[in-house]
């Protein structure tokens, strides 16, 4: 069994993804003709980050690990773009 992921590290991952969504929303809104579908996806992603950040407050070790895995993969995907 792997070691538990420190909550602070998971919160940082969620914040990193949340910041990416926020930055993209700002950039897209400033665009001459923003893509409404993309804006919705970005807003939904930002809302999911907020929900996961809240969920972390009461999460058990297994739930924290699941969120950590999901956000580590998301950060990797976002940096690959």
């Amino acid at each position: 069994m792997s070691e538990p992921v420190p909550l602070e590290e998971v919160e940082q991952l969620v914040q990193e993804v949340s910041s990416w969504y926020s930055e993209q929303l700002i950039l897209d809104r400033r665009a001459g003709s923003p893509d409404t579908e993309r804006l919705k996806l970005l807003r939904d992603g930002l809302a999911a980050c907020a929900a996961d950040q809240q969920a972390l407050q009461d999460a058990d070790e297994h739930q924290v690990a699941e969120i950590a895995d999901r956000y580590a993969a998301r950060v990797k995907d976002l940096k690959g773009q």
Side-chain angles (χ1 to χ4, degrees), residues 9-22:
E9 287 183 26
V10 182
E11 289 173 332
Q12 179 62 35
L13 287 170
V14 175
Q15 182 57 47
E16 190 172 343
V17 173
S18 181
S19 293
W20 183 88
Y21 281 119
S22 294

Side-chain angles (χ1 to χ4, degrees), residues 3 8 11 14-15 17 20 26 33 47 55 57 59 61 67 72 75:
E3 288 187 35
E8 296 79 21
E11 289 173 332
V14 175
Q15 182 57 47
V17 173
W20 183 88
I26 290 167
S33 56
Q57 304 312 308
E61 188 176 299
I67 292 170
V75 166

Side-chain angles (χ1 to χ4, degrees), residues 11-73:
E11 289 173 332
Q12 179 62 35
L13 287 170
V14 175
Q15 182 57 47
E16 190 172 343
V17 173
S18 181
S19 293
W20 183 88
Y21 281 119
S22 294
E23 290 170 14
Q24 293 303 306
L25 275 167
I26 290 167
L27 292 173
D28 281 20
R29 286 180 181 154
R30 289 180 182 165
S33 56
D35 180 343
T36 55
E37 186 173 319
R38 177 171 161 79
L39 288 175
K40 182 184 179 334
L41 290 173
L42 293 170
R43 283 192 303 268
D44 290 349
L46 191 58
C49 289
D52 285 337
Q53 187 71 37
Q54 184 66 36
L56 282 171
Q57 304 312 308
D58 298 318
D60 63 23
E61 188 176 299
H62 178 72
Q63 292 166 320
V64 170
E66 286 178 352
I67 292 170
D69 289 344
R70 195 167 58 242
Y71 279 84

